[in-house]
Amino acid sequence: MSGIYLHIPFCKQACHYCDFHFSTSMGLKEQTVQAIARELDLRQGYLQGQPVHTIYFGGGTPSLLNQQELQLLLATIKQLFIVSEDAEITLEANPDDLTPAKLQELHAAGINRLSIGLQSFHGPHLHMMNRAHSATESLQCVKDAQAAGFDNITVDLIYGIPAPDHSIWHRDLETLFSLGVPHVSCYALTIEPDTALGRWSKKGKFKPAEDEYTARQFEILLEQMNKHGYVQYEISNFSLPGHESKHNSNYWRGIHYLGVGPSAHSFNGISRQYNVSHNKKYVDAIAQGQVPFELEELTPADQANDYLLTSLRTIWGCDLLKISQDYGYDFRKSYAPYLQELQDKDLARIEEEVLYLTDKGKLLADQITLELFVE
């Protein structure tokens, strides 16, 4: 079992918090789509014949693809790879793109899961983030998608946006639950240096929320998700039972995947590949029959750290025996005092040699992971 990720590096406008690779110029869009189809051909051996169970269109804004471009990429995948009949095929979309006509196109093309970047139902927050849609569109697009036959929908929300109190976050969550979507991804607003918010923060024009404020919003999120029957199967991801994202779950479980398109990453268990984050360089290289990527060979320590980083964030936890047997590191022995400290502080628990973070520990997940990294 494996997956394919396609990076569509185009957006209508730049969100003030985003540091992903994208372009607001559509001049190379058609050529880039053709190049992605060509890269799929060039790299059809990467997955070594493993059946493809998930296909994920990310970006950027994949909902900017027209029906012909989408059908070209899906047809190319199905021609070159063994695709499971029940494959999960996800497309990230912005609310302003999801007109009833567009939704019908996506449904007809074979998309069976939508990931909708709502971010908020509060107009001023959307404006601050420079989102291209309104609060009304946040609400309506989900209803339109449901009416068009999409029952496998996930939406993104952002918390930790500065505000006088938590009332806006409470209202966002209330509106979310009224929609009945089966999956939600929630991320804290992160201020990256090379973004508008990062530059404004450096100049004192924008003041990020205090850590305590953001932590409280995370706690509110956990309380409300639990109340409404959603399972937190990864720190930022919640689903009703049976509606976990298969594609993202594969990332966290170390399943192999092929990434195509500018800036896309690939992983085969022993190495990672990073495509160039430059549309023209990517298109020009593919035209010459070359895939422009950097290769990172993974040492046993790298593989152990990768597994630790991903598994510790999930409901399935980090299997300490696996780290010992597969990578040769005895965490129980090497980190005994720290593991005991985590348990004493109610930050983690160990059951049947599996390390799990508690809700309290999830607030410190990055710090805990760094402490456990193999050097």
Side-chain angles (χ1 to χ4, degrees):
M1 126 185 246
S2 59
I4 294 177
Y5 171 82
L6 303 96
H7 190 80
I8 310 301
F10 299 99
C11 291
K12 289 179 181 177
Q13 60 192 50
C15 297
H16 287 162
Y17 57 84
C18 181
D19 71 340
F20 291 162
H21 170 65
F22 67 91
S23 171
T24 55
S25 169
M26 302 294 158
L28 282 176
K29 178 168 168 277
E30 182 178 348
Q31 290 173 265
T32 302
V33 171
Q34 293 290 337
I36 291 173
R38 174 63 175 143
E39 185 187 358
L40 286 164
D41 184 34
L42 292 171
R43 303 187 68 189
Q44 61 179 294
Y46 184 79
L47 297 175
Q48 299 183 327
Q50 296 178 59
V52 172
H53 285 258
T54 66
I55 299 169
Y56 194 103
F57 290 85
T61 310
S63 51
L64 291 176
L65 293 175
N66 61 41
Q67 188 173 15
Q68 291 72 30
E69 291 166 337
L70 194 54
Q71 287 178 332
L72 167 67
L73 295 174
L74 284 171
T76 301
I77 291 171
K78 291 176 180 179
Q79 178 185 353
L80 298 172
F81 299 87
I82 302 169
V83 179
S84 170
E85 289 186 5
D86 62 348
E88 175 191 86
I89 305 177
T90 304
L91 181 131
E92 291 182 352
N94 278 348
D96 44 298
D97 293 328
L98 294 182
T99 63
K102 183 68 174 184
L103 287 162
Q104 292 297 334
E105 284 185 7
L106 296 176
H107 203 281
I111 301 300
N112 55 33
R113 184 173 183 268
L114 287 179
S115 176
I116 308 176
L118 302 183
Q119 315 312 355
S120 178
F121 296 100
H122 184 61
H125 282 181
L126 292 172
H127 179 72
M128 182 275 291
M129 292 185 281
N130 201 37
R131 295 295 290 166
H133 65 279
S134 67
T136 299
E137 287 173 317
S138 281
L139 190 63
Q140 189 60 45
C141 75
V142 177
K143 295 179 179 179
D144 288 344
Q146 292 167 331
F150 287 98
D151 54 8
N152 198 357
I153 296 173
T154 179
V155 301
D156 290 353
L157 289 181
I158 292 178
Y159 62 93
I161 301 172
D165 54 35
H166 301 299
S167 60
I168 295 171
W169 182 229
H170 275 290
R171 287 198 299 272
D172 269 359
L173 291 174
E174 288 172 7
T175 303
L176 165 73
F177 294 127
S178 74
L179 291 170
V181 294
H183 189 285
V184 187
S185 297
C186 295
Y187 305 100
L189 180 65
T190 304
I191 311 302
E192 302 291 351
D194 193 24
T195 63
L197 288 183
R199 292 186 287 273
W200 294 343
S201 179
K202 186 176 181 180
K203 294 177 181 178
K205 295 181 178 180
F206 176 81
K207 185 179 180 181
E210 297 291 337
D211 289 346
E212 293 78 7
Y213 175 91
T214 301
R216 179 54 192 148
Q217 294 214 329
F218 182 70
E219 291 171 347
I220 292 169
L221 173 66
L222 298 188
E223 293 164 4
Q224 291 301 310
M225 285 292 174
N226 183 60
K227 176 182 176 182
H228 288 83
Y230 288 76
V231 176
Q232 184 189 26
Y233 70 100
E234 193 270 345
I235 285 181
S236 300
N237 288 272
F238 306 80
S239 75
L240 296 176
H243 289 276
E244 299 86 356
S245 165
K246 294 179 183 177
H247 187 84
N248 289 338
S249 293
N250 286 349
Y251 288 157
W252 303 318
R253 286 171 159 165
I255 303 298
H256 301 179
Y257 62 90
L258 168 65
V260 294
S263 82
H265 296 181
S266 301
F267 171 74
N268 64 2
I270 58 174
S271 68
R272 293 189 183 280
Q273 294 182 11
Y274 308 88
N275 282 4
V276 65
S277 297
H278 191 288
N279 292 354
K280 189 172 188 309
K281 289 180 180 179
Y282 172 80
V283 168
D284 289 347
I286 295 293
Q288 299 298 317
Q290 301 174 348
V291 180
F293 65 81
E294 293 183 11
L295 178 67
E296 178 190 5
E297 299 285 356
L298 301 176
T299 65
D302 292 330
Q303 294 175 48
N305 289 338
D306 272 359
Y307 173 70
L308 178 71
L309 179 67
T310 53
S311 65
L312 203 54
R313 295 177 58 89
T314 71
I315 196 173
W316 307 293
C318 178
D319 188 335
L320 300 178
L321 286 179
K322 175 180 174 64
I323 291 181
S324 176
Q325 294 169 357
D326 292 359
Y327 313 122
Y329 295 96
D330 188 346
F331 267 49
R332 272 295 217 176
K333 180 178 180 180
S334 301
Y335 292 94
Y338 186 61
L339 291 173
Q340 188 60 52
E341 179 186 344
L342 291 175
Q343 294 175 87
D344 291 343
K345 292 182 177 179
D346 192 32
L347 298 174
R349 69 182 193 280
I350 297 176
E351 296 177 2
E352 297 182 352
E353 296 304 309
V354 178
L355 176 65
Y356 303 91
L357 294 183
T358 63
D359 283 352
K360 186 178 175 182
K362 290 169 186 174
L363 289 167
L364 302 171
D366 291 344
Q367 179 183 326
I368 292 171
T369 301
L370 285 174
E371 291 290 339
L372 291 170
F373 264 3
V374 175
E375 296 182 357

